Amino acid sequence: MARNMMKKLLCLGLAVTSTFACVTTLSACETSHPEVSMTLSFDGKDYELTYKMNRKLTPATVTHFLELVDGKYYDGLCVHDYQDTVWYTGVYSFDSEKDEQGGLVYKSYLTAAKALNLTSTVWFDSERTKSTYTLYGEFSSNSFRVENGTIKNSFGALTMRYTDKGTTASKESVFVEKSGGGADMKDYAYNSATSMFSIAMSTTATNAGGYCTFATLKDNDSVENLEDLQSAVKAYIDEVGDATDFAPTVKVTINEEDEFAGSSETDYAVPVKPIVIKAMKVKKW
């Protein structure tokens, strides 16, 4: 009996030590296929989705996204640009009392990135002493290659996005870490993503080489839940009139924190009945 008790105590001690190691040394607990849960809310109803990623295919993007999710950055943000085949989110919350910009309220990415101490992948200088806090573009147009292909932009897939940088900013250069050490000079435009991502709402959605698709829906339940949300939105649109009544075009200021591009304006189709990211959580690192 004493021997069995000793074994139990030893196992308990190892379990506690392992848990502590995972909490204090995150990299030791990383998996090849991280998972994230996303709860989308619309018109008083929640829709639960689970996403899977492949760390080997898009390592920088996966780490960046997981760190933002774990830091609760995305909680409360809305779909700020509604298109029939793709929804854009990850930048603004919605306040119906705000008259400007269709109720959109910008959430400072730069402030959050510094507070969360996000892993840096892009720098202003070749010595990599000053981070841009933007994300290395893991896609073909940025000369990024993977041996096993890319993640398909299927229904529900998540793709990191960046706003238009204009001709001046697009010619600016930044530095990314080379696989063999040192730094490679790259065009800023392709390495300028921050927090914005899109959700593919079409089974035939295609993805250009200038963006990184990094996550897909894990299971049939998630696919069905997103389909239910899509149907609920379309039913609401039918009630209010058409898509332009549901998401009128609004002039929105972009790139406010961008040192290269500077602020400018663009058109977004902003839903008057918000589609909100109620919560996101890392289920598996």
Side-chain angles (χ1 to χ4, degrees):
M1 181 177 294
R3 183 175 297 176
N4 289 338
M5 180 61 69
M6 184 63 70
K7 287 182 178 179
K8 290 180 179 180
L9 290 173
L10 179 59
C11 289
L12 178 60
L14 289 173
V16 171
T17 301
S18 177
T19 301
F20 180 76
C22 284
V23 172
T24 58
T25 309
L26 183 61
S27 60
C29 304
E30 289 181 351
T31 64
S32 297
H33 300 280
E35 295 179 7
V36 164
S37 65
M38 179 193 300
T39 303
L40 293 172
S41 180
F42 176 73
D43 199 21
K45 186 174 180 180
D46 293 345
Y47 301 82
E48 303 287 341
L49 312 176
T50 299
Y51 280 94
K52 62 180 180 180
M53 290 163 257
N54 191 321
R55 196 185 295 276
K56 293 181 179 179
L57 295 182
T58 57
T61 306
V62 167
T63 296
H64 184 82
F65 189 73
L66 289 176
E67 289 177 349
L68 285 172
V69 170
D70 195 50
K72 307 298 182 184
Y73 178 83
Y74 288 117
D75 293 6
L77 301 189
C78 68
V79 171
H80 63 266
D81 191 16
Y82 172 86
Q83 307 296 328
D84 189 48
T85 60
V86 62
W87 297 354
Y88 296 86
T89 184
V91 185
Y92 306 89
S93 59
F94 182 83
D95 186 346
S96 60
E97 299 299 317
K98 299 287 186 181
D99 294 328
E100 297 181 355
Q101 302 195 141
L104 295 182
V105 179
Y106 176 70
K107 182 172 183 177
S108 175
Y109 164 80
L110 193 57
T111 299
K114 292 178 179 179
L116 295 173
N117 193 28
L118 298 183
T119 300
S120 294
T121 57
V122 185
W123 293 266
F124 284 103
D125 59 317
S126 59
E127 292 76 22
R128 288 168 288 157
T129 63
K130 183 182 179 183
S131 176
T132 64
Y133 293 101
T134 57
L135 175 63
Y136 170 46
E138 294 176 309
F139 42 79
S140 59
S141 297
N142 200 36
S143 302
F144 178 80
R145 298 285 187 275
V146 290
E147 293 182 1
N148 298 320
T150 57
I151 298 174
K152 294 182 179 180
N153 193 27
S154 55
F155 177 73
L158 306 184
T159 300
M160 288 303 297
R161 298 281 177 168
Y162 48 85
T163 56
D164 179 39
K165 302 304 176 186
T167 55
T168 301
S170 66
K171 295 179 181 179
E172 295 288 351
S173 296
V174 289
F175 297 87
V176 301
E177 186 173 2
K178 294 168 63 174
S179 58
D184 266 339
M185 184 181 292
K186 296 282 188 180
D187 291 336
Y188 173 65
Y190 284 163
N191 300 278
S192 62
T194 54
S195 60
M196 182 166 66
F197 66 92
S198 63
I199 306 172
M201 299 303 296
S202 170
T203 55
T204 59
T206 58
N207 194 40
Y211 299 95
C212 176
T213 299
F214 64 95
T216 55
L217 291 171
K218 180 186 177 182
D219 47 41
N220 289 333
D221 287 342
S222 296
V223 172
E224 291 175 1
N225 287 344
L226 186 57
E227 288 175 340
D228 288 345
L229 170 57
Q230 186 180 43
S231 297
V233 171
K234 289 183 176 180
Y236 187 89
I237 290 174
D238 290 339
E239 289 181 9
V240 298
D242 57 28
T244 56
D245 295 317
F246 171 68
T249 300
V250 177
K251 285 285 184 185
V252 178
T253 301
I254 60 173
N255 298 326
E256 293 180 81
E257 298 181 318
D258 196 309
E259 290 192 33
F260 285 138
S263 62
S264 59
E265 287 189 332
T266 193
D267 290 336
Y268 286 146
V270 183
V272 294
K273 174 69 72 172
I275 304 168
V276 177
I277 299 174
K278 187 174 182 179
M280 294 184 74
K281 183 179 180 180
V282 179
K283 298 181 68 176
K284 183 191 296 184
W285 279 94

